[in-house]
Amino acid sequence: MDQPAEAVFPTDKLSALRLGRSLVAEVEASRPQYRAWIEIRPLRSEADDTARREGWTRNDERRGFQLTHCEYVIEHLDGWDYDIGRNEIKRIVATDEADLLTLLQEWGAAPERFAYPWNTDFPA
């Protein structure tokens, strides 16, 4: 019997995470008047802040991540007040890339579904 393939991020998305850039994936909302996303936000360190002040971006393969699953009211998504009625489903910290993949699997979110926020309808 074949073993399921291990989940991995596409190379460009993994590089973005290591450079401290967020990724999002739209997931099924709990109610029809909502849209939902999971956001992966890389945790930043003092070394990241120092690099930014010096004008460069720091690559960190040992970076941690904050995962947040939120729903937003559809009628508010096009305005400035997109967070009115926002519902945070859950939030957790992944200590490293392996932990991130494990948590995403538990949440039912495949790594290949994640995109850069500016290429999605993600409101924030």
Side-chain angles (χ1 to χ4, degrees), residues 20-70:
R21 296 190 173 87
S22 296
L23 296 176
V24 298
E26 189 164 3
V27 294
E28 188 174 334
S30 66
R31 294 170 268 179
Q33 68 269 28
Y34 283 87
R35 289 179 72 186
W37 284 269
I38 294 175
E39 178 183 21
I40 303 170
R41 185 172 293 192
L43 300 177
R44 297 184 184 270
S45 67
E46 188 175 316
D48 292 308
D49 295 336
T50 300
R52 189 168 73 167
R53 281 192 302 275
E54 294 174 359
W56 58 284
T57 304
R58 183 175 160 273
N59 184 11
D60 187 352
E61 293 181 19
R62 295 182 308 264
R63 190 180 297 279
F65 306 92
Q66 178 178 284
L67 281 81
T68 308
H69 178 189
C70 288

mmCIF file of all heavy atoms in Angstrom, residues 20-70:
data_model
loop_
_atom_site.group_PDB
_atom_site.id
_atom_site.type_symbol
_atom_site.label_atom_id
_atom_site.label_comp_id
_atom_site.label_asym_id
_atom_site.label_seq_id
_atom_site.Cartn_x
_atom_site.Cartn_y
_atom_site.Cartn_z
ATOM 1 N N GLY A 20 9.951 36.038 5.846
ATOM 2 C CA GLY A 20 9.071 36.785 6.738
ATOM 3 C C GLY A 20 7.809 37.320 6.102
ATOM 4 O O GLY A 20 7.150 38.191 6.664
ATOM 5 N N ARG A 21 7.424 36.792 4.950
ATOM 6 C CA ARG A 21 6.218 37.258 4.266
ATOM 7 C C ARG A 21 5.040 36.330 4.563
ATOM 8 O O ARG A 21 5.193 35.112 4.618
ATOM 9 C CB ARG A 21 6.476 37.333 2.773
ATOM 10 C CG ARG A 21 7.544 38.385 2.477
ATOM 11 C CD ARG A 21 7.688 38.686 1.021
ATOM 12 N NE ARG A 21 8.584 39.799 0.815
ATOM 13 C CZ ARG A 21 9.907 39.685 0.706
ATOM 14 N NH1 ARG A 21 10.480 38.507 0.793
ATOM 15 N NH2 ARG A 21 10.651 40.750 0.511
ATOM 16 N N SER A 22 3.863 36.923 4.718
ATOM 17 C CA SER A 22 2.656 36.169 5.044
ATOM 18 C C SER A 22 2.076 35.473 3.819
ATOM 19 O O SER A 22 2.258 35.923 2.685
ATOM 20 C CB SER A 22 1.593 37.107 5.612
ATOM 21 O OG SER A 22 2.019 37.651 6.822
ATOM 22 N N LEU A 23 1.342 34.393 4.090
ATOM 23 C CA LEU A 23 0.584 33.679 3.071
ATOM 24 C C LEU A 23 -0.827 33.441 3.612
ATOM 25 O O LEU A 23 -1.014 33.357 4.822
ATOM 26 C CB LEU A 23 1.230 32.329 2.753
ATOM 27 C CG LEU A 23 2.621 32.341 2.139
ATOM 28 C CD1 LEU A 23 3.135 30.906 1.987
ATOM 29 C CD2 LEU A 23 2.627 33.053 0.801
ATOM 30 N N VAL A 24 -1.793 33.336 2.692
ATOM 31 C CA VAL A 24 -3.179 33.073 3.092
ATOM 32 C C VAL A 24 -3.807 32.040 2.166
ATOM 33 O O VAL A 24 -3.387 31.874 1.023
ATOM 34 C CB VAL A 24 -4.043 34.358 3.081
ATOM 35 C CG1 VAL A 24 -3.519 35.375 4.064
ATOM 36 C CG2 VAL A 24 -4.131 34.955 1.697
ATOM 37 N N ALA A 25 -4.830 31.370 2.695
ATOM 38 C CA ALA A 25 -5.618 30.437 1.894
ATOM 39 C C ALA A 25 -7.075 30.610 2.298
ATOM 40 O O ALA A 25 -7.401 30.640 3.485
ATOM 41 C CB ALA A 25 -5.181 28.996 2.129
ATOM 42 N N GLU A 26 -7.941 30.744 1.303
ATOM 43 C CA GLU A 26 -9.364 30.814 1.605
ATOM 44 C C GLU A 26 -9.853 29.406 1.905
ATOM 45 O O GLU A 26 -9.488 28.440 1.228
ATOM 46 C CB GLU A 26 -10.151 31.422 0.448
ATOM 47 C CG GLU A 26 -11.583 31.710 0.838
ATOM 48 C CD GLU A 26 -12.305 32.657 -0.107
ATOM 49 O OE1 GLU A 26 -11.727 33.066 -1.127
ATOM 50 O OE2 GLU A 26 -13.467 32.977 0.198
ATOM 51 N N VAL A 27 -10.674 29.301 2.944
ATOM 52 C CA VAL A 27 -11.250 28.020 3.359
ATOM 53 C C VAL A 27 -12.754 28.190 3.489
ATOM 54 O O VAL A 27 -13.280 29.300 3.415
ATOM 55 C CB VAL A 27 -10.630 27.541 4.703
ATOM 56 C CG1 VAL A 27 -9.148 27.227 4.524
ATOM 57 C CG2 VAL A 27 -10.841 28.550 5.807
ATOM 58 N N GLU A 28 -13.435 27.100 3.695
ATOM 59 C CA GLU A 28 -14.892 27.140 3.799
ATOM 60 C C GLU A 28 -15.319 27.881 5.062
ATOM 61 O O GLU A 28 -14.790 27.640 6.150
ATOM 62 C CB GLU A 28 -15.449 25.720 3.821
ATOM 63 C CG GLU A 28 -16.951 25.675 3.740
ATOM 64 C CD GLU A 28 -17.472 24.254 3.620
ATOM 65 O OE1 GLU A 28 -16.745 23.386 3.118
ATOM 66 O OE2 GLU A 28 -18.619 24.034 4.027
ATOM 67 N N ALA A 29 -16.282 28.787 4.910
ATOM 68 C CA ALA A 29 -16.820 29.534 6.044
ATOM 69 C C ALA A 29 -17.938 28.741 6.713
ATOM 70 O O ALA A 29 -18.538 27.851 6.104
ATOM 71 C CB ALA A 29 -17.348 30.888 5.580
ATOM 72 N N SER A 30 -18.243 29.108 7.947
ATOM 73 C CA SER A 30 -19.267 28.388 8.703
ATOM 74 C C SER A 30 -20.690 28.788 8.318
ATOM 75 O O SER A 30 -21.620 28.031 8.551
ATOM 76 C CB SER A 30 -19.072 28.623 10.205
ATOM 77 O OG SER A 30 -19.307 29.983 10.523
ATOM 78 N N ARG A 31 -20.828 29.980 7.729
ATOM 79 C CA ARG A 31 -22.154 30.476 7.343
ATOM 80 C C ARG A 31 -22.068 31.163 5.979
ATOM 81 O O ARG A 31 -21.022 31.691 5.617
ATOM 82 C CB ARG A 31 -22.664 31.476 8.380
ATOM 83 C CG ARG A 31 -22.925 30.819 9.732
ATOM 84 C CD ARG A 31 -23.192 31.845 10.777
ATOM 85 N NE ARG A 31 -21.887 32.143 11.392
ATOM 86 C CZ ARG A 31 -21.705 33.013 12.353
ATOM 87 N NH1 ARG A 31 -22.707 33.713 12.804
ATOM 88 N NH2 ARG A 31 -20.522 33.201 12.864
ATOM 89 N N PRO A 32 -23.195 31.194 5.246
ATOM 90 C CA PRO A 32 -23.168 31.758 3.893
ATOM 91 C C PRO A 32 -22.808 33.246 3.821
ATOM 92 O O PRO A 32 -22.287 33.694 2.809
ATOM 93 C CB PRO A 32 -24.591 31.538 3.368
ATOM 94 C CG PRO A 32 -25.264 30.641 4.320
ATOM 95 C CD PRO A 32 -24.476 30.604 5.580
ATOM 96 N N GLN A 33 -23.053 34.005 4.877
ATOM 97 C CA GLN A 33 -22.768 35.442 4.830
ATOM 98 C C GLN A 33 -21.318 35.774 5.195
ATOM 99 O O GLN A 33 -20.947 36.931 5.287
ATOM 100 C CB GLN A 33 -23.744 36.229 5.720
ATOM 101 C CG GLN A 33 -23.590 35.989 7.205
ATOM 102 C CD GLN A 33 -24.460 34.860 7.731
ATOM 103 O OE1 GLN A 33 -24.802 33.925 7.021
ATOM 104 N NE2 GLN A 33 -24.809 34.941 9.004
ATOM 105 N N TYR A 34 -20.491 34.745 5.359
ATOM 106 C CA TYR A 34 -19.083 34.927 5.705
ATOM 107 C C TYR A 34 -18.170 34.339 4.633
ATOM 108 O O TYR A 34 -18.552 33.447 3.890
ATOM 109 C CB TYR A 34 -18.754 34.204 7.023
ATOM 110 C CG TYR A 34 -19.211 34.901 8.266
ATOM 111 C CD1 TYR A 34 -20.500 34.706 8.758
ATOM 112 C CD2 TYR A 34 -18.359 35.738 8.960
ATOM 113 C CE1 TYR A 34 -20.925 35.338 9.917
ATOM 114 C CE2 TYR A 34 -18.769 36.367 10.127
ATOM 115 C CZ TYR A 34 -20.051 36.165 10.591
ATOM 116 O OH TYR A 34 -20.458 36.792 11.731
ATOM 117 N N ARG A 35 -16.925 34.869 4.609
ATOM 118 C CA ARG A 35 -15.820 34.236 3.895
ATOM 119 C C ARG A 35 -14.725 34.014 4.930
ATOM 120 O O ARG A 35 -14.592 34.796 5.868
ATOM 121 C CB ARG A 35 -15.302 35.123 2.761
ATOM 122 C CG ARG A 35 -16.300 35.193 1.605
ATOM 123 C CD ARG A 35 -15.832 36.076 0.489
ATOM 124 N NE ARG A 35 -14.732 35.452 -0.254
ATOM 125 C CZ ARG A 35 -14.059 36.088 -1.213
ATOM 126 N NH1 ARG A 35 -14.373 37.322 -1.557
ATOM 127 N NH2 ARG A 35 -13.083 35.470 -1.843
ATOM 128 N N ALA A 36 -13.949 32.959 4.760
ATOM 129 C CA ALA A 36 -12.946 32.601 5.765
ATOM 130 C C ALA A 36 -11.579 32.370 5.132
ATOM 131 O O ALA A 36 -11.483 31.923 3.988
ATOM 132 C CB ALA A 36 -13.400 31.347 6.505
ATOM 133 N N TRP A 37 -10.552 32.675 5.918
ATOM 134 C CA TRP A 37 -9.175 32.471 5.487
ATOM 135 C C TRP A 37 -8.340 31.949 6.643
ATOM 136 O O TRP A 37 -8.633 32.217 7.802
ATOM 137 C CB TRP A 37 -8.543 33.793 5.042
ATOM 138 C CG TRP A 37 -8.968 34.277 3.712
ATOM 139 C CD1 TRP A 37 -8.379 34.016 2.499
ATOM 140 C CD2 TRP A 37 -10.076 35.135 3.425
ATOM 141 N NE1 TRP A 37 -9.053 34.648 1.492
ATOM 142 C CE2 TRP A 37 -10.106 35.353 2.027
ATOM 143 C CE3 TRP A 37 -11.048 35.740 4.206
ATOM 144 C CZ2 TRP A 37 -11.051 36.131 1.412
ATOM 145 C CZ3 TRP A 37 -12.006 36.523 3.595
ATOM 146 C CH2 TRP A 37 -12.005 36.719 2.207
ATOM 147 N N ILE A 38 -7.284 31.245 6.277
ATOM 148 C CA ILE A 38 -6.208 30.924 7.212
ATOM 149 C C ILE A 38 -5.023 31.761 6.782
ATOM 150 O O ILE A 38 -4.642 31.761 5.604
ATOM 151 C CB ILE A 38 -5.851 29.426 7.186
ATOM 152 C CG1 ILE A 38 -7.018 28.591 7.712
ATOM 153 C CG2 ILE A 38 -4.584 29.167 8.010
ATOM 154 C CD1 ILE A 38 -6.808 27.100 7.609
ATOM 155 N N GLU A 39 -4.458 32.474 7.736
ATOM 156 C CA GLU A 39 -3.279 33.300 7.469
ATOM 157 C C GLU A 39 -2.083 32.697 8.193
ATOM 158 O O GLU A 39 -2.177 32.330 9.359
ATOM 159 C CB GLU A 39 -3.491 34.730 7.948
ATOM 160 C CG GLU A 39 -2.276 35.609 7.743
ATOM 161 C CD GLU A 39 -2.453 37.020 8.290
ATOM 162 O OE1 GLU A 39 -3.319 37.242 9.153
ATOM 163 O OE2 GLU A 39 -1.697 37.896 7.852
ATOM 164 N N ILE A 40 -0.970 32.597 7.482
ATOM 165 C CA ILE A 40 0.303 32.210 8.092
ATOM 166 C C ILE A 40 1.132 33.478 8.170
ATOM 167 O O ILE A 40 1.466 34.074 7.139
ATOM 168 C CB ILE A 40 1.064 31.165 7.250
ATOM 169 C CG1 ILE A 40 0.216 29.917 7.022
ATOM 170 C CG2 ILE A 40 2.388 30.817 7.919
ATOM 171 C CD1 ILE A 40 0.825 28.958 6.010
ATOM 172 N N ARG A 41 1.439 33.889 9.369
ATOM 173 C CA ARG A 41 2.241 35.091 9.573
ATOM 174 C C ARG A 41 3.558 34.683 10.223
ATOM 175 O O ARG A 41 3.570 34.231 11.367
ATOM 176 C CB ARG A 41 1.493 36.080 10.457
ATOM 177 C CG ARG A 41 2.235 37.391 10.611
ATOM 178 C CD ARG A 41 1.394 38.392 11.304
ATOM 179 N NE ARG A 41 0.287 38.712 10.409
ATOM 180 C CZ ARG A 41 -0.530 39.732 10.590
ATOM 181 N NH1 ARG A 41 -0.390 40.503 11.628
ATOM 182 N NH2 ARG A 41 -1.505 39.964 9.733
ATOM 183 N N PRO A 42 4.680 34.826 9.520
ATOM 184 C CA PRO A 42 5.977 34.482 10.105
ATOM 185 C C PRO A 42 6.272 35.364 11.315
ATOM 186 O O PRO A 42 5.962 36.557 11.325
ATOM 187 C CB PRO A 42 6.969 34.763 8.975
ATOM 188 C CG PRO A 42 6.139 34.637 7.733
ATOM 189 C CD PRO A 42 4.807 35.204 8.111
ATOM 190 N N LEU A 43 6.839 34.761 12.339
ATOM 191 C CA LEU A 43 7.225 35.514 13.525
ATOM 192 C C LEU A 43 8.526 36.240 13.233
ATOM 193 O O LEU A 43 9.445 35.681 12.633
ATOM 194 C CB LEU A 43 7.389 34.568 14.717
ATOM 195 C CG LEU A 43 6.133 33.785 15.108
ATOM 196 C CD1 LEU A 43 6.440 32.834 16.256
ATOM 197 C CD2 LEU A 43 4.993 34.723 15.460
ATOM 198 N N ARG A 44 8.574 37.468 13.659
ATOM 199 C CA ARG A 44 9.765 38.294 13.425
ATOM 200 C C ARG A 44 10.584 38.395 14.707
ATOM 201 O O ARG A 44 10.057 38.336 15.792
ATOM 202 C CB ARG A 44 9.359 39.673 12.946
ATOM 203 C CG ARG A 44 8.647 39.616 11.614
ATOM 204 C CD ARG A 44 8.348 41.014 11.110
ATOM 205 N NE ARG A 44 7.592 40.945 9.877
ATOM 206 C CZ ARG A 44 8.116 40.900 8.677
ATOM 207 N NH1 ARG A 44 9.419 40.946 8.534
ATOM 208 N NH2 ARG A 44 7.363 40.827 7.611
ATOM 209 N N SER A 45 11.864 38.585 14.495
ATOM 210 C CA SER A 45 12.782 38.695 15.625
ATOM 211 C C SER A 45 13.514 40.034 15.560
ATOM 212 O O SER A 45 13.376 40.796 14.599
ATOM 213 C CB SER A 45 13.804 37.554 15.572
ATOM 214 O OG SER A 45 14.635 37.722 14.443
ATOM 215 N N GLU A 46 14.307 40.282 16.570
ATOM 216 C CA GLU A 46 15.119 41.497 16.581
ATOM 217 C C GLU A 46 16.073 41.513 15.387
ATOM 218 O O GLU A 46 16.334 42.561 14.801
ATOM 219 C CB GLU A 46 15.907 41.575 17.898
ATOM 220 C CG GLU A 46 16.625 42.891 18.074
ATOM 221 C CD GLU A 46 17.289 42.987 19.434
ATOM 222 O OE1 GLU A 46 16.652 42.620 20.438
ATOM 223 O OE2 GLU A 46 18.451 43.432 19.472
ATOM 224 N N ALA A 47 16.572 40.335 15.003
ATOM 225 C CA ALA A 47 17.463 40.253 13.838
ATOM 226 C C ALA A 47 16.734 40.681 12.564
ATOM 227 O O ALA A 47 17.334 41.305 11.682
ATOM 228 C CB ALA A 47 18.005 38.830 13.699
ATOM 229 N N ASP A 48 15.429 40.358 12.454
ATOM 230 C CA ASP A 48 14.643 40.806 11.303
ATOM 231 C C ASP A 48 14.516 42.331 11.288
ATOM 232 O O ASP A 48 14.622 42.965 10.241
ATOM 233 C CB ASP A 48 13.241 40.189 11.324
ATOM 234 C CG ASP A 48 13.266 38.695 11.096
ATOM 235 O OD1 ASP A 48 13.871 38.260 10.111
ATOM 236 O OD2 ASP A 48 12.660 37.972 11.911
ATOM 237 N N ASP A 49 14.265 42.903 12.468
ATOM 238 C CA ASP A 49 14.139 44.363 12.566
ATOM 239 C C ASP A 49 15.444 45.055 12.209
ATOM 240 O O ASP A 49 15.448 46.068 11.511
ATOM 241 C CB ASP A 49 13.697 44.769 13.977
ATOM 242 C CG ASP A 49 12.305 44.268 14.318
ATOM 243 O OD1 ASP A 49 11.508 44.029 13.379
ATOM 244 O OD2 ASP A 49 12.011 44.108 15.515
ATOM 245 N N THR A 50 16.556 44.500 12.663
ATOM 246 C CA THR A 50 17.865 45.060 12.336
ATOM 247 C C THR A 50 18.108 44.998 10.829
ATOM 248 O O THR A 50 18.539 45.980 10.224
ATOM 249 C CB THR A 50 18.980 44.305 13.080
ATOM 250 O OG1 THR A 50 18.750 44.428 14.487
ATOM 251 C CG2 THR A 50 20.354 44.836 12.724
ATOM 252 N N ALA A 51 17.823 43.863 10.220
ATOM 253 C CA ALA A 51 18.011 43.723 8.768
ATOM 254 C C ALA A 51 17.159 44.741 8.020
ATOM 255 O O ALA A 51 17.636 45.371 7.063
ATOM 256 C CB ALA A 51 17.650 42.303 8.335
ATOM 257 N N ARG A 52 15.911 44.915 8.437
ATOM 258 C CA ARG A 52 15.033 45.868 7.748
ATOM 259 C C ARG A 52 15.573 47.291 7.861
ATOM 260 O O ARG A 52 15.567 48.038 6.882
ATOM 261 C CB ARG A 52 13.622 45.786 8.314
ATOM 262 C CG ARG A 52 12.639 46.583 7.478
ATOM 263 C CD ARG A 52 11.243 46.296 7.826
ATOM 264 N NE ARG A 52 10.926 46.900 9.115
ATOM 265 C CZ ARG A 52 9.716 47.038 9.590
ATOM 266 N NH1 ARG A 52 8.697 46.577 8.908
ATOM 267 N NH2 ARG A 52 9.511 47.598 10.740
ATOM 268 N N ARG A 53 16.072 47.671 9.041
ATOM 269 C CA ARG A 53 16.652 49.015 9.203
ATOM 270 C C ARG A 53 17.870 49.197 8.305
ATOM 271 O O ARG A 53 18.152 50.301 7.849
ATOM 272 C CB ARG A 53 17.029 49.248 10.662
ATOM 273 C CG ARG A 53 15.861 49.596 11.544
ATOM 274 C CD ARG A 53 16.306 50.110 12.913
ATOM 275 N NE ARG A 53 17.139 49.183 13.660
ATOM 276 C CZ ARG A 53 16.683 48.194 14.427
ATOM 277 N NH1 ARG A 53 15.389 48.002 14.552
ATOM 278 N NH2 ARG A 53 17.527 47.409 15.072
ATOM 279 N N GLU A 54 18.579 48.097 8.044
ATOM 280 C CA GLU A 54 19.760 48.154 7.191
ATOM 281 C C GLU A 54 19.419 48.027 5.713
ATOM 282 O O GLU A 54 20.298 48.070 4.862
ATOM 283 C CB GLU A 54 20.750 47.063 7.606
ATOM 284 C CG GLU A 54 21.330 47.281 8.981
ATOM 285 C CD GLU A 54 22.196 46.124 9.452
ATOM 286 O OE1 GLU A 54 22.344 45.127 8.706
ATOM 287 O OE2 GLU A 54 22.725 46.215 10.575
ATOM 288 N N GLY A 55 18.139 47.808 5.400
ATOM 289 C CA GLY A 55 17.697 47.787 4.008
ATOM 290 C C GLY A 55 17.704 46.429 3.330
ATOM 291 O O GLY A 55 17.723 46.349 2.109
ATOM 292 N N TRP A 56 17.690 45.353 4.085
ATOM 293 C CA TRP A 56 17.658 44.023 3.476
ATOM 294 C C TRP A 56 16.663 43.151 4.223
ATOM 295 O O TRP A 56 16.152 43.519 5.267
ATOM 296 C CB TRP A 56 19.050 43.395 3.420
ATOM 297 C CG TRP A 56 19.761 43.233 4.730
ATOM 298 C CD1 TRP A 56 20.379 44.199 5.459
ATOM 299 C CD2 TRP A 56 19.943 42.014 5.464
ATOM 300 N NE1 TRP A 56 20.931 43.673 6.601
ATOM 301 C CE2 TRP A 56 20.677 42.325 6.634
ATOM 302 C CE3 TRP A 56 19.568 40.704 5.253
ATOM 303 C CZ2 TRP A 56 21.040 41.369 7.570
ATOM 304 C CZ3 TRP A 56 19.931 39.745 6.195
ATOM 305 C CH2 TRP A 56 20.660 40.086 7.329
ATOM 306 N N THR A 57 16.370 41.992 3.658
ATOM 307 C CA THR A 57 15.417 41.054 4.240
ATOM 308 C C THR A 57 16.165 39.801 4.666
ATOM 309 O O THR A 57 16.933 39.239 3.886
ATOM 310 C CB THR A 57 14.318 40.687 3.220
ATOM 311 O OG1 THR A 57 13.694 41.889 2.775
ATOM 312 C CG2 THR A 57 13.283 39.790 3.841
ATOM 313 N N ARG A 58 15.902 39.367 5.880
ATOM 314 C CA ARG A 58 16.610 38.239 6.472
ATOM 315 C C ARG A 58 15.891 36.921 6.183
ATOM 316 O O ARG A 58 14.703 36.787 6.411
ATOM 317 C CB ARG A 58 16.679 38.472 7.983
ATOM 318 C CG ARG A 58 17.428 37.453 8.748
ATOM 319 C CD ARG A 58 17.513 37.908 10.225
ATOM 320 N NE ARG A 58 17.809 36.771 11.040
ATOM 321 C CZ ARG A 58 16.922 35.937 11.546
ATOM 322 N NH1 ARG A 58 15.653 36.121 11.341
ATOM 323 N NH2 ARG A 58 17.294 34.914 12.270
ATOM 324 N N ASN A 59 16.625 35.936 5.690
ATOM 325 C CA ASN A 59 16.121 34.592 5.449
ATOM 326 C C ASN A 59 16.369 33.763 6.711
ATOM 327 O O ASN A 59 17.474 33.749 7.232
ATOM 328 C CB ASN A 59 16.863 33.985 4.255
ATOM 329 C CG ASN A 59 16.331 32.626 3.868
ATOM 330 O OD1 ASN A 59 15.286 32.201 4.328
ATOM 331 N ND2 ASN A 59 17.063 31.953 3.013
ATOM 332 N N ASP A 60 15.317 33.078 7.207
ATOM 333 C CA ASP A 60 15.469 32.299 8.434
ATOM 334 C C ASP A 60 14.746 30.965 8.285
ATOM 335 O O ASP A 60 13.520 30.910 8.281
ATOM 336 C CB ASP A 60 14.893 33.079 9.619
ATOM 337 C CG ASP A 60 15.153 32.408 10.953
ATOM 338 O OD1 ASP A 60 15.650 31.261 10.973
ATOM 339 O OD2 ASP A 60 14.852 33.038 11.977
ATOM 340 N N GLU A 61 15.505 29.897 8.170
ATOM 341 C CA GLU A 61 14.929 28.550 8.037
ATOM 342 C C GLU A 61 14.409 28.014 9.361
ATOM 343 O O GLU A 61 13.711 27.007 9.387
ATOM 344 C CB GLU A 61 15.975 27.588 7.459
ATOM 345 C CG GLU A 61 16.341 27.905 6.035
ATOM 346 C CD GLU A 61 17.346 26.934 5.465
ATOM 347 O OE1 GLU A 61 17.504 25.814 6.019
ATOM 348 O OE2 GLU A 61 17.987 27.281 4.453
ATOM 349 N N ARG A 62 14.731 28.681 10.467
ATOM 350 C CA ARG A 62 14.274 28.232 11.786
ATOM 351 C C ARG A 62 13.161 29.136 12.337
ATOM 352 O O ARG A 62 12.875 29.110 13.527
ATOM 353 C CB ARG A 62 15.452 28.194 12.750
ATOM 354 C CG ARG A 62 16.492 27.157 12.353
ATOM 355 C CD ARG A 62 17.632 27.094 13.337
ATOM 356 N NE ARG A 62 18.218 28.400 13.611
ATOM 357 C CZ ARG A 62 19.298 28.885 13.009
ATOM 358 N NH1 ARG A 62 19.909 28.176 12.099
ATOM 359 N NH2 ARG A 62 19.765 30.065 13.315
ATOM 360 N N ARG A 63 12.519 29.871 11.483
ATOM 361 C CA ARG A 63 11.489 30.820 11.879
ATOM 362 C C ARG A 63 10.242 30.101 12.386
ATOM 363 O O ARG A 63 9.891 29.032 11.923
ATOM 364 C CB ARG A 63 11.139 31.663 10.633
ATOM 365 C CG ARG A 63 10.267 32.848 10.903
ATOM 366 C CD ARG A 63 9.977 33.611 9.623
ATOM 367 N NE ARG A 63 11.135 34.195 8.980
ATOM 368 C CZ ARG A 63 11.700 35.336 9.342
ATOM 369 N NH1 ARG A 63 11.247 35.998 10.366
ATOM 370 N NH2 ARG A 63 12.726 35.807 8.679
ATOM 371 N N GLY A 64 9.540 30.720 13.339
ATOM 372 C CA GLY A 64 8.249 30.243 13.804
ATOM 373 C C GLY A 64 7.140 30.975 13.059
ATOM 374 O O GLY A 64 7.390 31.950 12.338
ATOM 375 N N PHE A 65 5.904 30.532 13.250
ATOM 376 C CA PHE A 65 4.779 31.092 12.498
ATOM 377 C C PHE A 65 3.533 31.170 13.367
ATOM 378 O O PHE A 65 3.290 30.282 14.191
ATOM 379 C CB PHE A 65 4.459 30.209 11.286
ATOM 380 C CG PHE A 65 5.651 29.967 10.417
ATOM 381 C CD1 PHE A 65 6.452 28.851 10.620
ATOM 382 C CD2 PHE A 65 5.995 30.853 9.418
ATOM 383 C CE1 PHE A 65 7.563 28.616 9.836
ATOM 384 C CE2 PHE A 65 7.109 30.624 8.629
ATOM 385 C CZ PHE A 65 7.895 29.513 8.841
ATOM 386 N N GLN A 66 2.748 32.203 13.149
ATOM 387 C CA GLN A 66 1.438 32.293 13.781
ATOM 388 C C GLN A 66 0.387 31.965 12.733
ATOM 389 O O GLN A 66 0.375 32.546 11.655
ATOM 390 C CB GLN A 66 1.199 33.701 14.317
ATOM 391 C CG GLN A 66 -0.173 33.851 14.932
ATOM 392 C CD GLN A 66 -0.364 35.226 15.499
ATOM 393 O OE1 GLN A 66 0.163 35.530 16.560
ATOM 394 N NE2 GLN A 66 -1.084 36.063 14.781
ATOM 395 N N LEU A 67 -0.477 31.022 13.041
ATOM 396 C CA LEU A 67 -1.591 30.662 12.160
ATOM 397 C C LEU A 67 -2.871 31.225 12.760
ATOM 398 O O LEU A 67 -3.112 31.060 13.958
ATOM 399 C CB LEU A 67 -1.745 29.145 12.058
ATOM 400 C CG LEU A 67 -0.788 28.426 11.138
ATOM 401 C CD1 LEU A 67 0.525 28.201 11.827
ATOM 402 C CD2 LEU A 67 -1.402 27.123 10.737
ATOM 403 N N THR A 68 -3.663 31.869 11.923
ATOM 404 C CA THR A 68 -4.935 32.419 12.370
ATOM 405 C C THR A 68 -6.008 32.045 11.366
ATOM 406 O O THR A 68 -5.835 32.246 10.163
ATOM 407 C CB THR A 68 -4.874 33.955 12.504
ATOM 408 O OG1 THR A 68 -3.751 34.304 13.313
ATOM 409 C CG2 THR A 68 -6.134 34.504 13.128
ATOM 410 N N HIS A 69 -7.108 31.498 11.862
ATOM 411 C CA HIS A 69 -8.267 31.151 11.040
ATOM 412 C C HIS A 69 -9.377 32.120 11.421
ATOM 413 O O HIS A 69 -9.826 32.123 12.566
ATOM 414 C CB HIS A 69 -8.663 29.708 11.325
ATOM 415 C CG HIS A 69 -9.874 29.254 10.573
ATOM 416 N ND1 HIS A 69 -10.478 28.052 10.847
ATOM 417 C CD2 HIS A 69 -10.598 29.800 9.571
ATOM 418 C CE1 HIS A 69 -11.526 27.896 10.040
ATOM 419 N NE2 HIS A 69 -11.610 28.950 9.275
ATOM 420 N N CYS A 70 -9.787 32.968 10.476
ATOM 421 C CA CYS A 70 -10.807 33.992 10.734
ATOM 422 C C CYS A 70 -11.865 34.001 9.652
ATOM 423 O O CYS A 70 -11.601 33.648 8.502
ATOM 424 C CB CYS A 70 -10.181 35.384 10.774
ATOM 425 S SG CYS A 70 -9.190 35.691 12.214
#
